[in-house]
Amino acid sequence: MKAKKLFISFVATLATFFVACQQDDEVMPQNLPPQVELTRAYDITRHEAIIQGNVTPVGSGHICFITLRYGVTDSLEHEVGFKNTERDITARLTNLQTATTYRCVLETGNEYSTISSDTLTFTTAQGGTPLLSAITSYAHGPHRIGLQSSITDNGGYPIIETGFYYWPAGGEKKKVTVAQHPDSLRMKSLIRLLEKDTPYQAQAYATNQLGEGVGPTFDFRVNDLLTLTMAGTLSEWLTLEEQHYMNSLTLSGPINGSDIYLLHCMAGGAHKSNDYGRLSYLDLIETHVRAGGEYPW
């Protein structure tokens, strides 16, 4: 009788064990990593792209981080972080290299595990030659003109050289190179030794690794007019040879004692020799006298 009771007890225990195991199989494991994918890259330009993806939690598993990693090498050297609560992921990538293939991976997980999406690749757009703005004149004077322009688009590559072409109408084209500051897209240069009352044309240019771009043509003439923007700077605009031998000058803008003394010398008033100072015609109607400067007596 005891053996029969022991057998029945064993069968009941075994049945309980199988039921428990069956119930455990139906329970969702805890702290599962989420599902993650990158879906597309779009609005791709030379320097930007938009990346989309999504993160889907599984069961009661929670999310501790969401990170988009991207780069041009296997190390994926750049990253963008998102809030743990975000599910639809959108990232605008900027400062990208022209005509370059990038790799992107979306990573997420918790303290138990990390999961990564499949790799998404895209290639930025091809570049071109630089684009330049129209030339403007920042100053002009006898036999010279100050030209300035801006690089409106570097074509997606570093600028190698900048400058201006200039030539008399129907004449030989000349070139002046301008040293450009790395942090500036503007360039300016003073063109000297021009023929008075002769029609000239000019173009700004810039080169990158794909070639040269030129801006619109600028038409100009030079004459005896010299316009100053700051009093006391006349000597900076005239070479010593011009100070000695110029015979006519029309001056406009602010002047002070230093400028007036230089005009006095150019007219021969400070030297006994007739070889220095040949200025015989001077127009000061458009000038404005300012205090300051030096006028040695």
Side-chain angles (χ1 to χ4, degrees), residues 43-55:
D43 284 356
I44 302 169
T45 66
R46 294 200 309 262
H47 304 296
E48 294 187 357
I50 298 178
I51 308 300
Q52 279 190 335
N54 55 70
V55 176

Side-chain angles (χ1 to χ4, degrees), residues 3-15:
K4 184 177 181 180
K5 291 182 177 180
L6 182 62
F7 175 76
I8 293 173
S9 176
F10 172 75
V11 171
T13 302
L14 187 62

Side-chain angles (χ1 to χ4, degrees), residues 107-159:
E107 293 183 348
T108 185
N110 50 39
E111 63 268 33
Y112 301 102
S113 60
T114 297
I115 188 168
S116 299
S117 70
D118 292 336
T119 300
L120 175 71
T121 62
F122 68 90
T123 301
T124 52
Q126 295 286 335
T129 56
L131 301 178
L132 298 106
S133 69
I135 292 176
T136 59
S137 173
Y138 65 90
H140 63 275
H143 309 287
R144 73 199 61 205
I145 189 170
L147 303 179
Q148 61 185 4
S149 179
S150 298
I151 301 171
T152 58
D153 187 339
N154 66 3
Y157 299 100
I159 296 297

